[in-house]
Amino acid sequence: MGTSNVSSNSDFILMGLFSYTGPHLVLFFLMATVFIIGLLGNTTLLFLIATDSRLHTPMYFLLSQLSLLDVGFPLVTIPKVVAEFLQGQNVISFGGCATQMFFLMLMGVSEGVLLSLMSYDRYVAVCHPLHYQVLMRNQVCLVMVGASWFSGALVASILTSITLQFPYCASHTVDHFFCELPALLKLSCADTSAYELALSISGVLILLLPLSLIFISYGHVLGAVLLMRSAEARHKAFTTCSSHVTVVGLFFGAAVFIYMVPGSYHSPKQDNVVSLFYSLITPTLNPLIYSLRNREVRMSLVKFMGRSDFKVKG
């Protein structure tokens, strides 16, 4: 071909998010603060679900998996961003780039599938409450969680392995703050148009299939809620489901922008902002949304805080 391929020993250069100016230093510390809050929020939610028997239900089991994914999402990208800023080097190895890309797709696809299955859980709870214990028994929950993780691992393995087969013999500078598939493909010196088309089609399927299940589930839920005679029952169903709908909107809104809107309609700077949103802001907001709008989680947190305060005083 007359050009040399990037070997496994080659490095990529990432475009850093921050410079060393005053405003950027403030943004850097703000990002670090949000990162810590997100980790604390999700690990606290995981702890409460694991230790409080009142939260040992199918809904909270699925929510614990969402929190686990939301712990992993920022850990894949933000520590690297922090290290680059502190060291003044935006270099990532070929293997590091491949690893980052794999785990981001693993958790992204897994979370999309999990959110759709969580909507099915709410559908069963609201529309078939008498059969809930049977339809959402432990074996079914385990299959749901296994399916979400397996689908993420399968898609990530296929797309990462194909992407790494392309020759990267042009610039090694990735116009992004982490190794995301669309940004990496722009560096290839081979014709990737057919793969990008296949990627767009698969992206539509990966996003639209879960979204379709979510819309169908909540269409039935809305119909059932409107027919409820008890105002208290309507309020409880609406509160629980609205938390999930909010999380779905945050996650899929960003994913649709990155993977379904053609690249010519958004700039690399916009991609960075949206990627930071779904890799950091959304995982931080999720536990806050569920804890602030969910009575059981609030009661569990108050109970734990009261027990901790008693032990300190004792």
Side-chain angles (χ1 to χ4, degrees), residues 241-251 282 286 289-290 293:
C241 294
S242 62
S243 298
H244 183 246
V245 170
T246 304
V247 171
V248 166
L250 291 172
F251 177 81
T282 300
N286 286 352
I289 292 169
Y290 277 105
R293 307 192 66 174

Side-chain angles (χ1 to χ4, degrees), residues 4-16 80 84 88-101 160 163-189:
S4 59
N5 189 11
V6 171
S7 70
S8 58
N9 294 322
S10 299
D11 294 333
F12 290 107
I13 301 172
L14 299 173
M15 297 298 290
K80 178 63 177 172
E84 290 169 355
Q89 295 181 343
N90 296 338
V91 176
I92 186 170
S93 67
F94 185 86
C97 190
T99 301
Q100 199 175 61
M101 186 165 55
T160 301
T163 302
L164 296 180
Q165 296 302 312
F166 287 106
Y168 294 95
C169 44
S171 169
H172 295 184
T173 302
V174 182
D175 202 1
H176 208 51
F177 68 95
F178 61 81
C179 286
E180 194 167 37
L181 195 152
L184 198 62
L185 281 178
K186 294 177 182 179
L187 303 183
S188 176
C189 52

Side-chain angles (χ1 to χ4, degrees), residues 59-60 122 126 225 228 230-243 293-296:
M59 183 184 81
Y60 290 109
R122 291 300 82 205
V126 174
V225 169
M228 289 179 178
S230 168
E232 183 181 352
R234 282 199 304 270
H235 177 73
K236 183 177 180 181
F238 176 78
T239 301
T240 305
C241 294
S242 62
S243 298
R293 307 192 66 174
N294 192 298
R295 183 170 176 269
E296 288 87 356

Side-chain angles (χ1 to χ4, degrees), residues 7-229:
S7 70
S8 58
N9 294 322
S10 299
D11 294 333
F12 290 107
I13 301 172
L14 299 173
M15 297 298 290
L17 279 175
F18 309 106
S19 63
Y20 293 95
T21 60
H24 278 227
L25 287 173
V26 174
L27 290 175
F28 171 78
F29 285 111
L30 180 62
M31 182 202 70
T33 302
V34 172
F35 172 68
I36 294 170
I37 292 173
L39 286 182
L40 288 174
N42 281 294
T43 52
T44 299
L45 196 53
L46 279 168
F47 175 79
L48 293 176
I49 293 172
T51 58
D52 193 332
S53 58
R54 292 174 300 178
L55 302 182
H56 292 175
T57 64
M59 183 184 81
Y60 290 109
F61 174 67
L62 296 176
L63 180 57
S64 70
Q65 298 301 303
L66 179 65
S67 292
L68 190 60
L69 288 165
D70 285 340
V71 167
F73 238 127
L75 283 175
V76 176
T77 56
I78 304 304
K80 178 63 177 172
V81 173
V82 172
E84 290 169 355
F85 181 79
L86 295 177
Q87 297 172 2
Q89 295 181 343
N90 296 338
V91 176
I92 186 170
S93 67
F94 185 86
C97 190
T99 301
Q100 199 175 61
M101 186 165 55
F102 171 82
F103 280 105
L104 282 169
M105 283 191 283
L106 164 66
M107 287 179 286
V109 174
S110 297
E111 184 160 335
V113 174
L114 182 64
L115 287 172
S116 67
L117 296 176
M118 290 174 72
S119 72
Y120 172 76
D121 168 74
R122 291 300 82 205
Y123 158 73
V124 175
V126 174
C127 300
H128 303 283
L130 298 179
H131 300 98
Y132 184 76
Q133 296 301 326
V134 175
L135 294 175
M136 291 300 298
R137 58 191 181 275
N138 291 339
Q139 295 91 328
V140 174
C141 292
L142 290 173
V143 169
M144 284 181 166
V145 170
S148 66
W149 283 99
F150 176 77
S151 58
L154 180 64
V155 171
S157 299
I158 293 173
L159 295 184
T160 301
S161 60
I162 294 176
T163 302
L164 296 180
Q165 296 302 312
F166 287 106
Y168 294 95
C169 44
S171 169
H172 295 184
T173 302
V174 182
D175 202 1
H176 208 51
F177 68 95
F178 61 81
C179 286
E180 194 167 37
L181 195 152
L184 198 62
L185 281 178
K186 294 177 182 179
L187 303 183
S188 176
C189 52
D191 182 13
T192 61
S193 56
Y195 177 54
E196 289 183 46
L197 177 61
L199 195 62
S200 298
I201 295 172
S202 64
V204 169
L205 293 175
I206 291 168
L207 289 172
L208 289 188
L209 287 178
L211 275 175
S212 299
L213 179 57
I214 290 169
F215 284 133
I216 292 171
S217 297
Y218 278 108
H220 287 289
V221 168
L222 181 60
V225 169
L226 293 176
L227 293 175
M228 289 179 178
R229 296 181 179 180

